[in-house]
Amino acid sequence: MSDVIYLRKSRADLELESRSEVDVLSRHEAELRRNAARLGRTVTAVYREVVSGDTISARPMMMQLLHEVELGKWDAVHVVETSRLARGDTIDQGIVARAFQLSGTLIVTPSKIVDPNNEYDEDYFEFDLFMSRREYKAITRRQQRGRIASMNEGKWVANKAPYGYDRQKLTGEKGWTLVPNDKADTVRSIFQWYTSGMGTSLIVRRLNETGVPSPTGKDWTNCVVRAILDNPSYTGMIPWGRRPAVKTVRGGAVTVHTPRAKEYQLFQGRHEPIVTKEIFDAAQDRLAHNKSRPGPKQAAMKNPLSGLVYCSKCGRAMVRRPYGNGYPDGLICPYTSCDNVGSRLDLVEEAVLDGLRRWLMDFDAGKRPEEAPEASQAAQVQRAIRDADKELADLQTQLMRIYDLTEQGVYSSDDFLTRSRENAARRQAAEKRLEDLAAELARLQTVLSARAELVPDLRHILDAYDGATVEEKNALLKSVLSRVDYLKTNRERWGLGSDMSLTLYPRIPFSFPPDR
Ligand SMILES: [Zn+2]
């Protein structure tokens, strides 16, 4: 990013020019360039207003500049005086001030650098340019003081009530308070589930399954649940300044973001708490330790199958589902409306290891690579390829003979057509066979190299597995498996009743001997 110079003549400049030969704008440009150099700033553009309009809309370069300032294109705009940016009515002044303030663009004059986001500069900015905005700000400060006074009295000053509460007008005095509504039980349940060890994903799933309406009116999400869990209003308090709005401008439209502030003020409210301080604090403890970091990195700490097992029905990565209370973790499809039945994580893990053991047994049958069944199969295929090559050469010779015999008049033209067609068909078949054989040979060679690499890999994995950490286990499995597809349709937990089926995909593709 860089800076831009904006040049515009004032009325006084116009008068000066009419009396002398001075090129005012060039002189200003030179002055601003010197000032920029002194400040070590880089100017890459100079905007000269050639027409002199009183309003912004009558000044084309100003319109362009303002648009670019809104987009955050410039670090700073250099002008001889701040009043060169806006003159005329307060609406124009307001537009300019807003663009600079919201995009954080500096105004550099030979006497001062104005940072519109600096409280002190903001006053300067306003005093210098925008008296009416200064007054407006005084009004909002007054309103702010009024709000804080109300909150000190325990009143609810926000326009919206948190989920689980309704706003109610106070009787006999000004202001509002909150009363719990029929959603309060849902809030209570969310806190209870969460503090008893249930994860937010499971809570989301449960809420969506039971069809309880969410605060947004759409599906429950992790984000919505977390927003409830860390809202101190539910303990009877009134939070203030929790989410100071951060505004950005794009194309003239203001977007207000509300990132969460770490520090905020709390006032004792008059409203009835929905959860106790103890439960709320326990939830905050857990929230602090379970930062919402979706993705395999976090899960890898607790789930050896993280990022490895996929739902056969919808293709999503299966996730660990902790139950707490001493119950073993589950592995489930995270998609609420997917009907693939989850299993105990340890049972799936054991089944994956079983699969690896079976591979090892199958591959180990050959003991040494050259004793593997694929080795002799490959030799057979190579012989067949040599045969097919020879057949093709023979057919080529035969074709030449057909031409010769036709030329010598031994074959009639009918004979020629019949025999050459027959020859072409046989060549085509031989070529196809050769192609198939080459593909089969490639496959067998892949299996042979996979076997050569896999057998020691599998031994190492199965030997090292039990003593490994969860992360190491995950890495061991991923060293040999690219993915595992999971399917289960019935609710039988284990044993013969369970129809859980896993498909293991090795990192190095191979296929089992045909009879397996
Ligand atoms: Zn699924």
Side-chain angles (χ1 to χ4, degrees):
M1 291 234 291
S2 56
D3 298 0
V4 60
I5 286 176
Y6 176 73
L7 302 169
R8 180 175 74 87
K9 292 170 194 165
S10 66
R11 264 178 228 286
D13 296 334
L14 288 168
E15 275 168 34
L16 179 68
E17 273 191 338
S18 67
R19 281 186 278 108
S20 63
E21 291 293 292
V22 179
D23 179 352
V24 173
L25 290 194
S26 293
R27 212 172 66 185
H28 285 169
E29 183 184 338
E31 184 189 357
L32 292 177
R33 280 194 185 280
R34 266 196 309 278
N35 188 50
R38 183 178 64 82
L39 295 168
R41 304 200 63 95
T42 312
V43 173
T44 56
V46 178
Y47 290 174
R48 266 171 191 261
E49 201 73 77
V50 286
V51 297
S52 183
D54 266 351
T55 62
I56 291 173
S57 51
R59 291 191 267 134
M61 290 318 287
M62 186 62 201
M63 292 291 283
Q64 187 186 334
L65 177 70
L66 212 51
H67 179 65
E68 290 172 357
V69 165
E70 282 183 345
L71 292 174
K73 182 179 173 185
W74 301 109
D75 289 321
V77 176
H78 297 245
V79 284
V80 287
E81 300 159 345
T82 51
S83 61
R84 299 297 160 123
L85 290 171
R87 192 174 56 183
D89 65 10
T90 54
I91 294 174
D92 271 6
Q93 293 171 347
I95 289 170
V96 173
R98 202 180 65 159
F100 277 84
Q101 281 173 338
L102 298 186
S103 63
T105 308
L106 302 176
I107 298 171
V108 180
T109 74
S111 60
K112 188 172 172 34
I113 297 174
V114 182
D115 179 353
N117 282 329
N118 178 311
E119 181 75 21
Y120 172 76
D121 281 346
E122 209 174 300
D123 283 347
Y124 171 87
F125 193 48
E126 285 169 5
F127 184 71
D128 198 28
L129 266 177
F130 314 116
M131 194 62 101
S132 67
R133 280 185 53 79
R134 188 188 174 86
E135 285 159 9
Y136 171 76
K137 187 139 193 183
I139 294 165
T140 59
R141 282 197 185 117
R142 227 166 20 243
Q143 281 176 345
Q144 200 101 321
R145 275 199 296 275
R147 283 210 186 101
I148 288 168
S150 292
M151 287 186 290
N152 268 322
E153 292 168 20
K155 296 173 185 171
W156 187 257
V157 297
N159 290 324
K160 241 184 102 200
Y163 182 84
Y165 283 113
D166 286 327
R167 238 157 48 108
Q168 194 179 62
K169 233 178 163 9
L170 288 164
T171 46
E173 58 181 317
K174 277 173 73 175
W176 300 77
T177 189
L178 298 174
V179 285
N181 60 23
D182 57 345
K183 315 273 179 16
D185 275 341
T186 304
V187 174
R188 231 167 262 132
S189 299
I190 290 171
F191 274 95
Q192 258 158 26
W193 291 335
Y194 189 68
T195 51
S196 63
M198 202 187 277
T200 49
S201 300
L202 184 54
I203 293 173
V204 165
R205 201 181 158 94
R206 189 175 276 196
L207 289 166
N208 282 329
E209 274 166 5
T210 51
V212 182
S214 82
T216 58
K218 298 178 199 141
D219 269 3
W220 287 87
T221 61
N222 274 307
C223 198
V224 169
V225 168
R226 295 181 85 92
I228 287 178
L229 286 168
D230 79 348
N231 187 344
S233 314
Y234 295 123
T235 62
M237 304 302 286
I238 299 164
W240 179 246
R242 272 180 91 222
R243 289 159 173 259
V246 171
K247 295 174 195 156
T248 53
V249 194
R250 193 150 298 162
V254 180
T255 315
V256 179
H257 303 288
T258 53
R260 193 153 303 216
K262 279 218 164 99
E263 311 264 315
Y264 54 86
Q265 272 180 280
L266 276 181
F267 296 87
Q268 180 61 56
R270 295 192 203 179
H271 59 275
E272 184 191 319
I274 290 180
V275 297
T276 64
K277 178 99 171 51
E278 289 67 39
I279 284 194
F280 182 80
D281 288 345
Q284 302 322 296
D285 266 2
R286 218 187 137 197
L287 281 172
H289 290 108
N290 295 290
K291 287 267 183 301
S292 175
R293 264 183 293 158
K297 275 203 183 98
Q298 164 86 354
M301 311 294 277
K302 285 172 179 168
N303 178 5
L305 302 179
S306 172
L308 195 61
V309 183
Y310 290 82
C311 170
S312 279
K313 293 212 168 189
C314 69
R316 288 173 172 81
M318 307 269 295
V319 297
R320 189 180 69 96
R321 174 181 177 174
Y323 292 92
N325 295 336
Y327 285 104
D329 289 348
L331 189 73
I332 58 152
C333 173
Y335 188 47
T336 310
S337 47
C338 179
D339 63 355
N340 204 350
V341 180
S343 294
R344 265 172 52 178
L345 177 61
D346 57 345
L347 294 178
V348 182
E349 184 184 5
E350 195 46 51
V352 169
L353 290 171
D354 257 354
L356 296 184
R357 283 187 201 105
R358 242 163 40 209
W359 278 357
L360 183 61
M361 269 159 57
D362 287 344
F363 282 150
D364 230 7
K367 306 289 184 221
R368 283 185 307 179
E370 62 269 28
E371 290 173 25
E374 288 86 1
S376 57
Q377 282 171 24
Q380 269 175 28
V381 171
Q382 273 164 334
R383 271 196 300 277
I385 286 174
R386 275 197 299 275
D387 290 349
D389 271 340
K390 189 172 180 303
E391 191 185 352
L392 266 178
D394 289 350
L395 286 165
Q396 187 61 33
T397 315
Q398 195 189 60
L399 184 65
M400 297 322 286
R401 256 177 73 80
I402 294 169
Y403 281 122
D404 285 349
L405 292 170
T406 309
E407 238 167 73
Q408 291 161 25
V410 178
Y411 285 162
S412 67
S413 61
D414 275 356
D415 286 341
F416 171 76
L417 284 176
T418 314
R419 283 168 196 271
S420 66
R421 266 192 215 122
E422 196 189 60
N423 181 278
R426 285 178 61 192
R427 262 188 307 151
Q428 222 171 25
E431 272 163 7
K432 173 83 176 73
R433 197 157 59 246
L434 203 55
E435 237 173 69
D436 292 347
L437 287 166
E440 174 66 2
L441 185 63
R443 186 189 72 83
L444 289 167
Q445 279 163 348
T446 312
V447 175
L448 282 169
S449 66
R451 181 189 292 277
E453 291 177 38
L454 253 173
V455 169
D457 279 358
L458 286 169
R459 278 222 189 79
H460 168 68
I461 291 165
L462 294 167
D463 282 348
Y465 200 82
D466 278 343
T469 67
V470 174
E471 269 173 309
E472 288 165 350
K473 284 178 178 175
N474 189 253
L476 284 171
L477 294 176
K478 282 179 173 167
S479 72
V480 68
L481 290 168
S482 67
R483 73 185 269 150
V484 175
D485 281 349
Y486 172 100
L487 182 67
K488 183 161 151 62
T489 59
N490 69 5
R491 299 237 163 229
E492 293 290 331
R493 289 270 169 111
W494 53 75
L496 293 172
S498 167
D499 70 345
M500 177 176 87
S501 82
L502 300 178
T503 311
L504 277 59
Y505 296 91
R507 292 187 71 82
I508 310 162
F510 63 86
S511 54
F512 286 107
D515 57 332
R516 295 269 169 189

